[in-house]
Amino acid sequence: MIDTRFGGASGGLLQRLRPTRIGVADLREVADRLLPALATTRLRLDLVQHPGAGSVVVLEEDERIVRVHLSDLAEQMTRAGVPPTTPAISAALASWVAHRPVTDVAAATAGIAVLDWADPAETAVGWRVVVRRGELALPWTPAPTAGAATVHRTRSAATGRSHDVTLDLRAEGPVALWSHAAVPMLATAALVAPERMIERIAAAGLAMPDMQVVVTPHRPVACAEPGIAARLAGETTEASVTLPWRSLADLPWS
């Protein structure tokens, strides 16, 4: 499995098969310069020297704290195939920071409800709260201290925000495709309001009273009549789930 936390900084297949080691000293030089620039009023980024244990990168944001030894981070970058150049290490470190855990505060104030895989085998989907960071949509896992009421409020607010996500609708023959211009995963935000989807599809010239949705998380959503939806699902090489629109509201939260 390719480690996506380091983004587009990872090299090609040959670099991953025969990686060139990222030096701890090189990573420290980049971290000393870059981490202060990535810090915000809520996000604190420090490089702490522990006697006899080397340097540790510390990320603190609201209730979340991440601590990683610089040597371990350099090893992870090496395994991911990050080229040992200053620009590539800088891009990889910035991507790693961007992939940090989503805080409860961020989820409560900016979360969006989408569909994602509910199991490792990718056989079922469920609702999940994600927070957008640039071109990323990162999942929220409630902190152990978050009570049931907090989780419910966060999920309800995220569902409301999904109504306001701007999506593109394109008709390709008898199929309606929903997509997001920058973050593909956000395409499934449309599914919180299937009746409105049917209305927009009808306005585009397609009638789908028995609409089925072909959900491939992190990809555009295809909508069609049952027979066509089944054919679409059978033709794709990626794992997908086909659902009648009336069942969307009953899907569980992940």
Side-chain angles (χ1 to χ4, degrees), residues 66-85:
V66 176
R67 294 184 178 90
V68 179
H69 283 277
L70 200 66
S71 57
D72 291 340
L73 190 56
E75 179 62 28
Q76 292 168 20
M77 288 185 180
T78 298
R79 290 199 302 266
V82 176
T85 64

Side-chain angles (χ1 to χ4, degrees), residues 45-157:
L45 299 166
D46 292 317
L47 195 56
V48 180
Q49 178 69 38
H50 288 297
S55 300
V56 176
V57 182
V58 182
L59 283 69
E60 295 185 60
E61 187 176 26
D62 297 324
E63 79 285 351
R64 306 298 166 108
I65 301 177
V66 176
R67 294 184 178 90
V68 179
H69 283 277
L70 200 66
S71 57
D72 291 340
L73 190 56
E75 179 62 28
Q76 292 168 20
M77 288 185 180
T78 298
R79 290 199 302 266
V82 176
T85 64
T86 296
I89 295 173
S90 298
L93 183 58
S95 178
W96 179 77
V97 171
H99 280 81
R100 69 191 181 276
V102 172
T103 69
D104 291 353
V105 173
T109 57
I112 298 169
V114 299
L115 284 182
D116 199 3
W117 292 117
D119 63 331
E122 298 184 347
T123 61
V125 293
W127 292 107
R128 175 165 290 166
V129 176
V130 299
V131 169
R132 181 178 177 181
R133 291 179 185 151
E135 295 185 359
L136 300 174
L138 299 213
W140 170 61
T141 299
T145 55
T150 297
V151 172
H152 176 73
R153 285 195 300 270
T154 299
R155 288 171 173 173
S156 297

